[in-house]
Amino acid sequence: MTHSPDATPWWRSAVVYQIYPRSYQDTTGDGVGDLAGIARRLDHVVALGVDAIWISPFYPSPMRDFGYDVSDYCAVDPIFGTLTDFDDLVAAAHARGLKLLLDFVPSHTSDAHPWFRESRASRQSAKRDWYVWADPAPGGWPPNNWLSEFGGPAWSLDEATGQYWLHIYLREQPALNWRNPAVQAAMLDVMRFWFDRGVDGFRVDAVEHLVPSAALTDNPPDPAWRPGMQEARALQRAYTAHQPEVFDAARAMRRVARDYAPERLLIGEAYGTLAEVMAYYGGEGLDGFQLPFNFQLIFADWNAASIARMVEGYEAALPAGAWPNWVMGNHDRPRIAGRIGPAQARVAAMLLLTLRGTPTIYQGEELGMVDVPIPPGMVHDPMEKNAPGQGLGRDPVRTPIPWDEGSNAGFTTGVPWLPIGGAAPVSAQERDPESMLALYRRLTALRRAEPALSLGAYRTLSASDDVLVFERRHGARRLVVALNFSDAERPLGHRGAVLLSTRAGAPAAERLAPNEGRVMEG
Ligand code: GLC
């Protein structure tokens, strides 16, 4: 095993692309995407100019939470294919120079996992302590006030054994007890199973909830909560999220990744304050995750001043030597193009791909997809089913990719599991030099050609009058990015040669068009 620190590991200059396998490409006619479908669409991935794909879970699952309820960590659900399909996909991706990242779900299993079945069977079960069990509070109530992210208490009573099991998500997603060394060993072996099959890294799911407080202390109320908001937000997550042991767990996972050469990449999914997110880097030794996801763009007020403040705050908070990253959306959050509109979505694309740090594109962002309305009879997501009409449902952001003008947009020959729409199909966008897809391809190509964009230093030049201007510099090469957050023309002080504009036509030298973003020479 070599541990030689690589000066510039591949993931620093990389662009990551998230694939939600149910909605990428179906090859069997069952209306749900599969691994062979991803392999079939790798040409699109390569043409998009990304370096790595992260695939959301495809493991055997009862699909209560659409794959995030895993009943076998080391296999492929038949709906997605077989391990042979997986091996073929690894080979096909690597043959095209793409890295492959999987989703690792260590915080909870499905209640159908054999470990939970055994754990639940009796209090004396050898696996009882693999999950978090607690006695009822006086009166038979749940052990404490913790709430499930999906609504209701985070505890369900097992009547046969008289104890409650913890579930931070659905009752069908019992929380694993990471404090048990046997659980740690089993889960780290899951990572090795996939690393040995050739994967280049993992995105670690819901890691902030991996080790809730052992004292089971009540969470305090959150004064910011109002009726109509997600029920779980009524409480602060003081004793359920980001507990100290979580950061040790990140280090343990990283040690496994380090045992491989070249070292494998770990991305952490943890929603929290800036300080909480930074702690996942592992402190001064940077021995935690290489990339704890930075979700700020998902929640940012969309204006030049706020974005500038956010970027500077994030850059300043990074531990020495830590590498930044940026995310605008994923399978859990409303799509950016719907949130800020199609014209600003082009500005957002330029921002994502010109900031310092590894960007992650969520499938469909490259098409400018917006949330697709879901007719009541087609609702799948438990978030929507448990709190109908509150706008929490995630189905609208998980709809299939529209590939072409054929039936079901080329996604399936059967009945698609969710309605298809949200953007012009890939085939039409490929013919249109001004499409969102064409813009994304130009942006990734420019980023690849310009180390100033992929690796260079960042400096804000100005953020006023709705325009954010920043510099990226690598050695002698200096590029200037100017983004107009308004739908009116704006003066521009900088006159360098234009390398790329989000707007068609030759841009005027000293003015930014409405909603225009521009990359210029410095
Ligand atoms: C993560 C996933 C989300 C899932 C949850 C529980 O937040 O992104 O889709 O529901 O974890 O596993």
Side-chain angles (χ1 to χ4, degrees):
M1 310 279 159
T2 56
H3 288 225
S4 64
D6 182 350
T8 310
W10 65 268
W11 44 266
R12 290 201 172 206
S13 56
V15 179
V16 178
Y17 181 59
Q18 180 191 356
I19 291 184
Y20 192 71
R22 293 184 73 85
S23 291
Y24 211 59
Q25 174 68 55
D26 177 23
T27 61
T28 61
D30 65 359
V32 172
D34 43 54
L35 294 180
I38 298 173
R40 188 194 283 179
R41 293 298 184 182
L42 285 181
D43 286 348
H44 173 75
V45 177
V46 170
L48 180 56
V50 302
D51 304 275
I53 52 181
W54 145 39
I55 309 177
S56 284
F58 50 73
Y59 317 111
S61 164
M63 302 291 166
R64 299 298 167 126
D65 192 22
F66 296 94
Y68 285 96
D69 47 327
V70 180
S71 55
D72 180 353
Y73 286 102
C74 297
V76 174
D77 194 284
I79 204 167
F80 295 120
T82 62
L83 266 179
T84 306
D85 292 332
F86 175 78
D87 292 338
D88 291 348
L89 177 60
V90 176
H94 285 168
R96 286 169 161 85
L98 292 168
K99 307 282 188 191
L100 199 69
L101 312 174
L102 303 192
D103 218 306
F104 180 49
V105 189
S107 293
H108 46 265
T109 68
S110 159
D111 63 345
H113 197 295
W115 297 344
F116 186 68
R117 295 224 161 117
E118 195 182 332
S119 180
R120 189 176 180 169
S122 89
R123 289 201 190 198
Q124 285 72 44
S125 152
K127 289 216 166 51
R128 186 66 169 181
D129 194 36
W130 279 47
Y131 292 83
V132 182
W133 292 98
D135 290 332
W141 297 100
N144 65 16
N145 74 346
W146 293 354
L147 293 172
S148 155
E149 290 292 310
F150 291 152
W155 298 96
S156 289
L157 179 64
D158 178 56
E159 304 215 341
T161 59
Q163 284 190 308
Y164 282 87
W165 75 85
L166 176 67
H167 51 87
I168 300 287
Y169 297 90
L170 295 174
R171 59 179 270 123
E172 295 90 352
Q173 291 171 295
L176 277 166
N177 177 18
W178 186 267
R179 288 197 173 83
N180 181 338
V183 170
Q184 287 189 29
M187 292 308 288
L188 297 177
D189 273 347
V190 169
M191 299 178 74
R192 294 186 187 100
F193 174 86
W194 294 106
F195 281 148
D196 289 342
R197 286 193 110 86
V199 313
D200 301 287
F202 288 98
R203 171 265 195 192
V204 185
D205 180 72
V207 68
E208 76 259 40
H209 289 134
L210 184 62
V211 203
S213 142
L216 304 186
T217 313
D218 274 357
N219 273 332
D222 190 331
W225 185 83
R226 297 282 171 276
M229 287 168 67
Q230 186 180 349
E231 189 191 353
R233 296 288 78 79
L235 300 179
Q236 297 172 40
R237 302 184 301 167
Y239 298 100
T240 40
H242 312 294
Q243 302 301 295
E245 295 92 332
V246 163
F247 305 105
D248 298 333
R251 289 188 177 91
M253 293 176 198
R254 179 71 180 283
R255 283 194 293 274
V256 174
R258 277 199 170 150
D259 281 343
Y260 288 80
E263 185 185 350
R264 307 301 205 255
L265 171 64
L266 297 182
I267 302 177
E269 187 215 24
Y271 288 87
T273 63
L274 210 45
E276 284 162 346
V277 170
M278 293 301 166
Y280 289 91
Y281 280 107
E284 276 179 25
L286 298 181
D287 54 358
F289 299 137
Q290 292 101 320
L291 300 175
F293 264 144
N294 167 22
F295 292 122
Q296 291 180 95
L297 283 172
I298 292 178
F299 304 103
D301 288 336
W302 199 252
N303 63 71
S306 310
I307 300 286
R309 263 197 309 277
M310 183 194 75
V311 175
E312 299 209 342
Y314 177 71
E315 286 272 353
L318 282 168
W323 187 249
N325 76 88
W326 296 95
V327 183
M328 290 195 314
N330 55 40
H331 62 294
D332 295 327
R333 305 286 159 178
R335 284 191 178 275
I336 182 92
R339 195 159 73 78
I340 62 177
Q344 279 297 311
R346 296 173 71 87
V347 173
M350 182 171 276
L351 178 68
L352 178 72
L353 289 160
T354 58
L355 281 173
R356 188 176 86 99
T358 304
T360 298
I361 299 170
Y362 173 48
Q363 72 176 41
E365 277 171 11
E366 79 274 26
L367 306 177
M369 273 177 84
V370 296
D371 293 5
V372 175
I374 308 297
M378 279 184 100
V379 169
H380 285 73
D381 182 23
M383 283 279 258
E384 179 68 28
K385 288 185 170 167
N386 292 351
Q390 279 191 34
L392 299 175
R394 300 170 295 178
D395 294 324
V397 312
R398 297 175 172 181
T399 62
I401 294 291
W403 292 103
D404 60 38
E405 285 108 326
S407 83
N408 290 321
F411 167 69
T412 179
T413 55
V415 179
W417 77 288
L418 284 175
I420 304 181
V426 172
S427 55
Q429 297 208 26
E430 282 185 322
R431 293 191 302 268
D432 173 6
E434 297 312 323
S435 68
M436 186 64 129
L437 179 57
L439 174 62
Y440 263 89
R441 288 177 177 178
R442 285 200 288 270
L443 282 165
T444 55
L446 184 63
R447 192 180 167 93
R448 200 174 283 267
E450 293 282 358
L453 290 180
S454 56
L455 294 170
Y458 169 93
R459 188 161 68 101
T460 306
L461 298 179
S462 63
S464 61
D465 202 17
D466 302 320
V467 177
L468 170 62
V469 187
F470 58 88
E471 141 191 306
R472 300 293 313 280
R473 186 193 285 268
H474 187 72
R477 181 69 162 163
R478 179 177 182 257
L479 299 181
V480 172
V481 180
L483 305 172
N484 182 353
F485 285 76
S486 82
D487 57 5
E489 268 194 15
R490 286 288 183 264
L492 177 65
H494 188 81
R495 296 167 189 218
V498 179
L499 298 179
L500 178 50
S501 165
T502 59
R503 299 280 310 244
E510 286 166 23
R511 297 191 77 72
L512 279 175
N515 302 304
E516 186 191 357
R518 208 186 272 184
V519 182
M520 295 161 283
E521 289 188 329

